[in-house]
Amino acid sequence: MTSNIRLFYIHDPMCSWCYAFIPSWTALQNTLPESIQVSYLLGGLAPDTSEPMPLSTRKMVQQAWKKIEETVPGIRFNFDFWQKNTPMRSTYPACRAVLSAKKQNIVYEQKMIAALQLAYYQQAKNPSLSETLHQCAADIGLDTEMFMTDLNSPEIHNQLLQEIQLVRNMRIYSFPSLCLIQNDNSFPIKIDYHDHLQMNREIIRKIEHN
């Protein structure tokens, strides 16, 4: 196996299925060969808006939460979110928060994702709001003043748009997704919420036969 191998994890911090995938994804990363470089890409589920989430969308998301609880062991949601907040169908702020955290140090990328998911899915806080993002930044030890400046900067927004475009160029339209890149060849890896070793075997097989 060559060292020129990258595994892209395409996600959105406000995607409930991405949240459900974290245990399997973490286990997969722990079993990958060191020759595989892992990179995160933001898919950007929903663009900026201050409009409340339509009732039909609220029902759709809550149904997704219920389905996840029924099908993915150990994953639970705090449904108080829907009573305590005015949900907005906008994930771009949370995506920009991940990029702003990563800008301070790459170790904060996954920490911010985890903080956002904790706030949203367990603490019933709204990650579309600046105050929630600020609190997440403080919780993981970021320079919050720098974070807020970056969060609202054209630079970070343009970086998000570039990542979204890259994801589209890879022809990926659902999250989470995994894409293996080797010698300029692209291979989608089937997501498995229950068996990380199945994904590991598929990745190794693709590498050995490419």
Side-chain angles (χ1 to χ4, degrees):
M1 294 187 294
T2 67
S3 59
N4 187 28
I5 307 169
R6 297 183 75 180
L7 180 64
F8 284 98
Y9 172 55
I10 300 95
H11 71 108
D12 188 296
M14 289 180 67
C15 163
S16 52
W17 285 101
C18 294
Y19 174 62
F21 185 55
I22 290 297
S24 191
W25 169 232
T26 301
L28 173 62
Q29 290 181 85
N30 291 334
T31 62
L32 289 174
E34 292 183 3
S35 58
I36 299 177
Q37 179 185 347
V38 173
S39 298
Y40 283 61
L41 282 176
L42 290 156
L45 266 176
D48 294 306
T49 180
S50 58
E51 294 295 316
M53 185 184 291
L55 289 177
S56 59
T57 307
R58 297 186 198 196
K59 290 180 181 178
M60 179 188 71
V61 176
Q62 290 179 71
Q63 286 170 356
W65 288 16
K66 291 175 183 176
K67 183 175 182 181
I68 288 169
E69 287 190 342
E70 292 169 358
T71 57
V72 184
I75 301 298
R76 294 292 179 267
F77 296 91
N78 184 350
F79 284 84
D80 289 347
F81 173 84
W82 302 99
Q83 282 72 49
K84 292 183 176 180
N85 298 276
T86 301
M88 285 176 268
R89 184 60 172 166
S90 176
T91 70
Y92 279 24
C95 290
R96 287 192 292 265
V98 173
L99 294 176
S100 299
K102 182 181 177 181
K103 184 180 177 185
Q104 291 195 30
N105 192 305
I106 195 169
V107 300
Y108 290 116
E109 181 178 35
Q110 294 186 50
K111 289 183 179 181
M112 176 55 78
I113 295 168
L116 289 166
Q117 292 174 333
L118 176 66
Y120 184 20
Y121 298 119
Q122 299 302 317
Q123 299 173 343
K125 297 177 181 177
N126 192 341
S128 296
L129 301 178
S130 292
E131 53 261 38
T132 303
L133 304 179
H134 182 278
Q135 185 60 55
C136 287
D139 289 345
I140 64 174
L142 289 175
D143 179 328
T144 54
E145 184 175 349
M146 182 186 300
F147 171 81
M148 294 305 293
T149 298
D150 289 332
L151 182 67
N152 297 299
S153 69
E155 175 190 355
I156 289 295
H157 183 62
N158 288 335
Q159 185 179 343
L160 172 59
L161 295 180
Q162 289 170 7
E163 291 203 9
I164 292 171
Q165 187 58 54
L166 181 55
V167 169
R168 289 175 179 166
N169 292 344
M170 296 165 76
R171 298 181 180 178
I172 291 172
Y173 304 102
S174 63
F175 316 119
S177 286
L178 290 172
C179 185
L180 183 71
I181 305 291
Q182 182 182 14
N183 300 328
D184 296 325
N185 294 316
S186 174
F187 307 98
I189 303 299
K190 185 178 180 181
I191 295 292
D192 194 315
Y193 294 89
H194 302 96
D195 185 3
H196 68 280
L197 293 177
Q198 177 62 33
M199 294 183 289
N200 181 284
R201 286 190 290 269
E202 183 180 356
I203 290 168
I204 299 302
R205 203 160 49 239
K206 299 282 189 188
I207 292 172
E208 291 178 343
H209 290 88
N210 181 35

